[in-house]
Amino acid sequence: MASTQGGMGHSLVAPDETPETQAILQAADELVKKVKKVNVTIIGGKGFKITKKKFGMKDIPDVYCTVKYGSSPKVWRTSTVKNNVSPEWKESEKYILSNENEVISLDAWDANRKGDDTHYGSFRVTVAKVLLSSGKIEMELLKKGANTGCFVTLSCFKE
């Protein structure tokens, strides 16, 4: 039986060793290698504000981001950077790049111990716009269509 390495470390075993079967397996392997990917990194943020809570206590932001890529149903969540008005994540995810007009949608949140998390705002940007900005872009968060003064920097590169 013919055997070849498939994706994710699995072995594909062919029912016979015919040249046709070997050619099909080789073509499938080449196709997997040709799939373009994009690496999206959430680098950091700035402009998040300290707010006053009840009894004069300060609420220093505990910021995290959620990211949706293109039409993928998967939502990626960064770690929460606690007590920081200028959080740094430097966290990445890889996605299949079907075209450079894929949209990256980002929302930034303040994690709260009690109650719902506070939404700082969001932005949408295409992979193409990030790549045309030398692979790195700083975007201002918008909330209800208005500027927030909070920014998140992200980068993209093709693999």
Side-chain angles (χ1 to χ4, degrees):
M1 279 189 191
S3 175
T4 185
Q5 267 309 97
M8 309 286 265
H10 296 84
S11 283
L12 300 175
V13 178
D16 54 40
E17 292 186 19
T18 65
E20 293 83 13
T21 301
Q22 290 175 353
I24 291 169
L25 291 173
Q26 186 174 1
D29 196 40
E30 290 299 316
L31 186 60
V32 168
K33 289 178 185 174
K34 288 182 181 180
V35 171
K36 292 180 184 171
K37 293 184 181 168
V38 64
N39 187 318
V40 178
T41 301
I42 308 305
I43 298 170
K46 68 179 186 181
F48 297 95
K49 305 282 188 259
I50 297 172
T51 57
K52 296 230 180 195
K53 290 178 22 174
K54 294 179 183 174
F55 311 113
M57 305 256 320
K58 291 181 181 178
D59 182 15
I60 303 171
D62 301 320
V63 187
Y64 68 91
C65 297
T66 55
V67 180
K68 187 170 180 322
Y69 178 83
S71 61
S72 170
K74 178 184 172 190
V75 176
W76 158 44
R77 185 189 192 279
T78 66
S79 61
T80 301
V81 178
K82 295 183 180 262
N83 299 321
N84 201 317
V85 295
S86 298
E88 287 189 23
W89 293 281
K90 296 180 184 166
E91 295 178 26
S92 302
E93 283 287 320
K94 291 180 187 172
Y95 298 96
I96 293 174
L97 180 64
S98 56
N99 69 68
E100 292 182 0
N101 291 322
E102 292 279 5
V103 174
I104 301 166
S105 302
L106 181 140
D107 287 87
W109 302 85
D110 182 14
N112 295 318
R113 283 187 229 161
K114 294 182 179 179
D116 293 337
D117 292 348
T118 305
H119 186 239
Y120 279 115
S122 61
F123 66 77
R124 294 168 43 97
V125 65
T126 63
V127 171
K129 185 171 182 177
V130 179
L131 293 173
L132 288 171
S133 299
S134 301
K136 184 176 175 181
I137 194 166
E138 180 180 87
M139 299 285 295
E140 185 169 7
L141 299 172
L142 301 175
K143 189 167 184 179
K144 296 181 182 176
N147 294 339
T148 62
C150 300
F151 297 82
V152 173
T153 301
L154 66 89
S155 68
C156 291
F157 68 87
K158 291 194 260 183
E159 293 188 350

